[in-house]
Amino acid sequence: MITPDVGVPTYDQLLWPAVSALRELGGSGTIAEIDERVFEQEGFTPEQRGQLHGDGPRTEIEYRLAWARTHLKMMGLVDNSSRGVWTLLEAGWSVDETDIPAMNLEVRRALSAARAKRTPTPAGVGADPADGVAEPAAVGREAVYAAARQVLERGFGTDDSVFTPGRAVWTRENAEDLAFRLERPPPDASGTFLEKLRAELAGARDEVVQLAAEILFLHYLPASDIKGSTKRVGLRGVLAAASRPVTLPAGLDAVLDEGFMRVGVAFKTYRAQQVTWLAQVVAHVKAQPQAVVRTALGDPWEFRALVDAVPTTTAAGQRRTLLRLAFPGVFLDSLRADHLRAIVDTFADEVDVLTGDDERDFAAIRAVLEAREGPINFLRPPWVQVWGRDASTAEPGAAAYRPGWLVRGANVFGRNLVPEWLRDGYCSITLPDYPRVEVGLSRNALAGIVRTVEPELSPAQEKTRVALLDRFLTRMKLGDLVVTVNESRVHVGVLAGEVTWVAGVEATPAHHWRAVHWLDLDTGALHRSDLSDTAQDRLSGQAVVVELGEVAREIADLVGLDEIDTAGAVDTTGPFIDAGADVIPAELAVADVVPRPTTVVVETPPLEDLPVPTVELAGRLLVDHDWLVETVELLRIESCPLPGSTPTSFVNVRFVSCCRYAASSRQKRSMRYQRSRSGVSIFVRCCLPLRFSMIAIISGAAMVLPNGLNQAKP
């Protein structure tokens, strides 16, 4: 026991009492419960318990207990699985009081080593290869921040150029001209990002071209996973559109070899959108009174308010990097919103009150910790382990993606149900004549139900129905991404409810439904053109419930949807439509009441003799699996047979049409090519119950079909 007359105990004197308190509480307790149990065990005096930390309202002993819990987590003895609740881990049950000092010493050594790494060193020295890519030394990182501040002070604060000081480049007129050009590219603009940008700048004044290059420089600054040579090529390509040469100053040129974060694939893929957003921000800033801008350059929250006046539909990552570049001592150096949330959740005890604004709460927590521990890098050991992420996944681009699903509802028996989905906060599947199907059934059990209700289905149709039930009822989990498509718009939400079944009533068939938190239209709706080719391909086809795979990560990044707490619960404080669907409405649980409209997922039955496009079948046919899925789905689209044709010839001709479509639009990734002396041979062999097969040999000859149809080479 700690002697009461020694004053308030230090945090290391509270380590073992905190472990003992959790044991007495059964292994888990809230902060208040743990603190109270420690007070009772140790017999602290009213004077000890009443001494405030600073100006309060937290007491000094509560403050030190919070730090004790943080150290215990670093030791691997406890964990805070949810905000304000701490749990004793297995090691915490077996540890002895005599083990605590040595374990704490190891933690303190790790913290000291981390602080040493933050000390500025000569360029190229002290790189940390924890993720396989050397991070710039502190001096390199500081050089990036200094360059960014130079751009902002000259460009935002005045109209001055950072490339050619004394030249008025960052004027309101130039900024509005550039933003207008980037927002409305010419219809014939195509090719790479730089080629499109050059087309957008055609005919622009030299100052507008230079402004585009300086904004691109700001965009490149944080990226440590883009080579300096690549950045220079991009800048030279833009500046080449000006009539007079512009040379990058040596100091700024050297910074291009630095960077402070791995920006990842999404940031690079959507460079056009990121740069356009930056141009819009500049135009907005230049339209503000000078006094407002000067205040914002000195205040991180005024600066954030100024930046946030411009929507960031597909530029959330660029927003985070701009805030970090402007105020590196305030904002987190990560593109991931879930990193920010996890850090705030873990260290919530360090501040008296959380505001609900993760960026403000992070800044407050960081200030408290760094006042005690010195400079902290939350994305490096030992801190990264404290907030519950493995060091290998701390960097953007290395983290796992959120599971996601596409659920269609835009054309259900001729009705578009997506607006009702968004309004009422749900998605559903409808299977007429089906009873309630329990969650968690095996695929064999589901197949038995399908055969009982729809005995007339072919094996392929049966597999499609089983896959549908398995995905919607079992594989879709709370917190998963949900996407639905309505014409050119892609709506995004988070699955928020378990499965509920409603019996059919009159014209409304029986259905299963699940609550969804749909993001509001400003934040959670994308256009198809916002997505990569891979994502657009994934959203095509006829299947009604589709697993999105890695495309889910791309979509989540675009809408900034990473806010899931450590317990896996959906964060309902985000930009969601208030649909009132957090719980199942009582009227939907009553069978004799007409339920709200649902999405009907009785798919158009596939052609009787088409196979299921499995990975195994794609391997046997020597074709890419995605291409095979797309081809089969195209064949299932409703259409009338050609006049005078048999079903066999109809399917064959349509299969050839699909081959032509895929070969023309996806040549490099649609088939495996076998190169030989005679040229390129593409082998496609289909063994179907319809008993037709096709071998297409392209080597300067024609395409030959088994039914005798000769088609010109595609």
Side-chain angles (χ1 to χ4, degrees):
M1 177 181 293
I2 300 171
T3 305
D5 60 1
V6 299
V8 177
T10 59
Y11 86 89
D12 55 326
Q13 291 177 303
L14 294 170
L15 294 171
W16 179 250
V19 172
S20 299
L22 275 170
R23 288 181 178 180
E24 289 193 10
L25 290 170
S28 180
T30 64
I31 294 170
E33 290 171 340
I34 297 169
D35 288 354
E36 190 60 35
R37 189 57 56 94
V38 170
F39 299 158
E40 293 175 0
Q41 286 179 344
E42 303 303 319
F44 294 131
T45 65
E47 292 76 14
Q48 288 175 309
R49 296 180 59 171
Q51 181 178 333
L52 295 179
H53 174 69
D55 296 329
R58 175 183 288 190
T59 66
E60 184 65 30
I61 197 166
E62 289 172 340
Y63 175 79
R64 297 185 185 184
L65 272 169
W67 191 233
R69 287 189 293 270
T70 299
H71 269 248
L72 289 172
K73 182 169 183 176
M74 292 180 180
M75 298 177 196
L77 302 181
V78 302
D79 189 21
N80 55 331
S81 54
S82 61
R83 181 174 291 177
V85 178
W86 289 79
T87 303
L88 202 61
L89 301 178
E90 182 178 353
W93 286 104
S94 59
V95 71
D96 188 76
E97 182 175 3
T98 58
D99 300 327
I100 295 293
M103 298 177 72
N104 188 42
L105 179 61
E106 290 298 318
V107 169
R108 294 175 63 182
R109 286 173 176 170
L111 293 173
S112 297
R115 284 195 295 270
K117 285 186 179 180
R118 296 280 292 183
T119 303
T121 56
V125 177
D128 186 349
D131 60 357
V133 179
E135 186 184 46
V139 67
R141 179 178 290 226
E142 296 305 321
V144 171
Y145 296 142
R149 175 51 63 167
Q150 187 178 0
V151 172
L152 296 175
E153 288 288 346
R154 288 189 180 179
F156 282 16
T158 67
D159 295 337
D160 199 8
S161 164
V162 70
F163 288 0
T164 55
R167 186 179 184 187
V169 168
W170 290 65
T171 65
R172 178 177 180 177
E173 181 184 7
N174 292 340
E176 291 177 346
D177 187 356
L178 177 61
F180 182 86
R181 290 171 176 273
L182 299 184
E183 291 167 6
R184 299 166 180 80
D188 57 345
S190 61
T192 65
F193 160 73
L194 289 175
E195 290 170 342
K196 293 177 182 177
L197 183 56
R198 288 283 296 273
E200 292 162 349
L201 293 173
R205 299 185 306 278
D206 284 355
E207 290 78 10
V208 175
V209 173
Q210 186 170 332
L211 176 59
E214 296 191 15
I215 287 176
L216 183 59
F217 174 82
L218 192 63
H219 167 79
Y220 280 145
L221 273 180
S224 62
D225 52 345
I226 301 177
K227 294 181 179 180
S229 58
T230 301
K231 298 175 184 177
R232 292 183 183 91
V233 168
L235 292 173
R236 285 198 296 266
V238 175
L239 291 171
S243 61
R244 57 180 178 178
V246 175
T247 303
L248 196 64
L252 297 181
D253 182 81
V255 171
L256 293 175
D257 293 316
E258 307 293 349
F260 59 82
M261 70 167 64
R262 298 173 60 83
V263 294
V265 175
F267 189 89
K268 300 172 187 175
T269 302
Y270 299 100
R271 178 161 296 138
Q273 292 90 333
Q274 315 266 11
V275 172
T276 299
W277 179 81
L278 279 176
Q280 293 169 337
V281 168
V282 174
H284 172 71
V285 169
K286 303 309 292 187
Q288 306 307 309
Q290 188 66 18
V292 172
V293 177
R294 295 307 312 176
T295 299
L297 288 173
D299 185 317
W301 310 114
E302 293 295 332
F303 184 84
R304 187 182 70 163
L306 196 60
V307 166
D308 284 347
V310 181
T312 57
T313 303
T314 56
Q318 183 65 74
R319 172 192 174 275
R320 293 188 182 106
T321 61
L322 180 59
L323 293 178
R324 173 72 183 190
L325 286 169
F327 294 94
V330 176
F331 297 100
L332 181 65
D333 52 339
S334 172
L335 299 182
R336 298 280 303 278
D338 59 334
H339 286 178
L340 186 66
R341 171 58 56 86
I343 293 170
V344 171
D345 284 346
T346 300
F347 297 101
D349 297 349
E350 296 293 337
V351 293
D352 297 324
V353 179
L354 292 178
T355 66
D357 181 334
D358 282 346
E359 288 173 334
R360 282 186 178 271
D361 290 337
F362 168 78
I365 289 169
R366 177 177 179 173
V368 170
L369 291 176
E370 291 193 337
R372 183 170 62 224
E373 294 296 318
I376 293 174
N377 186 336
F378 285 94
L379 300 182
R380 293 291 176 185
W383 296 98
V384 67
Q385 286 92 344
V386 177
W387 52 271
R389 297 295 189 274
D390 182 81
S392 64
T393 64
E395 294 289 347
Y401 54 83
R402 176 201 298 261
W405 306 86
L406 166 68
V407 185
R408 301 186 194 277
N411 186 9
V412 180
F413 295 157
R415 295 180 60 198
N416 181 1
L417 298 177
V418 172
E420 295 171 69
W421 281 22
L422 301 177
R423 183 192 68 207
D424 295 335
Y426 73 103
C427 68
S428 61
I429 62 172
T430 300
L431 293 169
D433 303 324
Y434 272 68
R436 181 196 305 270
V437 180
E438 298 299 330
V439 175
L441 295 179
S442 67
R443 292 178 69 91
N444 287 337
L446 291 174
I449 295 174
V450 171
R451 293 190 199 106
T452 300
V453 178
E454 299 182 275
E456 73 282 1
L457 293 182
S458 69
Q461 291 172 317
E462 179 184 302
K463 288 181 180 178
T464 299
R465 191 75 77 243
V466 169
L468 175 65
L469 290 167
D470 182 51
R471 290 168 185 164
F472 192 83
L473 301 181
T474 302
R475 295 179 59 195
M476 291 174 62
K477 304 294 185 183
L478 293 182
D480 283 1
L481 191 81
V482 179
V483 173
T484 193
V485 180
N486 186 14
E487 297 179 347
S488 64
R489 295 179 72 81
V490 180
H491 298 278
V492 185
V494 174
L495 194 65
E498 300 292 353
V499 179
T500 299
W501 179 78
V502 179
V505 179
E506 297 180 355
T508 304
H511 64 281
H512 295 78
W513 78 280
R514 305 188 68 166
V516 175
H517 281 296
W518 296 106
L519 276 71
D520 65 33
L521 296 182
D522 291 333
T523 306
L526 306 170
H527 286 273
R528 281 182 178 267
S529 59
D530 293 331
L531 305 177
S532 65
D533 290 342
T534 300
Q536 292 188 51
D537 288 346
R538 198 65 176 167
L539 298 184
S540 64
Q542 294 294 297
V544 177
V545 179
V546 179
E547 187 171 9
L548 294 177
E550 293 189 9
V551 167
R553 170 64 186 278
E554 174 185 327
I555 295 174
D557 283 346
L558 286 175
V559 297
L561 184 59
D562 290 309
E563 290 81 4
I564 292 184
D565 67 26
T566 54
V570 180
D571 170 30
T572 58
T573 63
F576 297 102
I577 294 175
D578 184 11
D582 291 22
V583 294
I584 299 169
E587 63 270 19
L588 286 179
V590 182
D592 59 354
V593 177
V594 178
R596 47 176 123 172
T598 64
T599 176
V600 180
V601 298
V602 178
E603 304 174 39
T604 302
L607 291 178
E608 186 72 19
D609 296 304
L610 286 178
V612 176
T614 63
V615 174
E616 179 184 1
L617 178 60
R620 294 208 315 269
L621 299 179
L622 300 178
V623 298
D624 181 79
H625 179 237
D626 287 342
W627 179 87
L628 181 63
V629 170
E630 182 178 1
T631 301
V632 172
E633 288 177 345
L634 283 172
L635 286 170
R636 287 175 177 157
I637 296 174
E638 290 187 25
S639 178
C640 296
L642 299 176
S645 66
T646 65
T648 300
S649 64
F650 165 61
V651 173
N652 271 321
V653 170
R654 291 189 61 193
F655 195 93
V656 172
S657 299
C658 292
C659 289
R660 285 178 168 173
Y661 165 77
S664 63
S665 64
R666 304 173 63 188
Q667 288 181 356
K668 292 184 179 180
R669 55 194 176 94
S670 64
M671 295 184 177
R672 297 180 182 176
Y673 291 85
Q674 296 184 353
R675 296 190 178 275
S676 64
R677 293 180 181 177
S678 60
V680 178
S681 298
I682 303 176
F683 297 92
V684 181
R685 182 164 185 159
C686 300
C687 299
L688 308 176
L690 190 59
R691 296 182 181 178
F692 80 90
S693 63
M694 178 181 71
I695 301 177
I697 304 176
I698 303 177
S699 56
M703 177 176 286
V704 181
L705 295 175
N707 63 356
L709 293 174
N710 288 331
Q711 303 290 334
K713 184 177 75 172

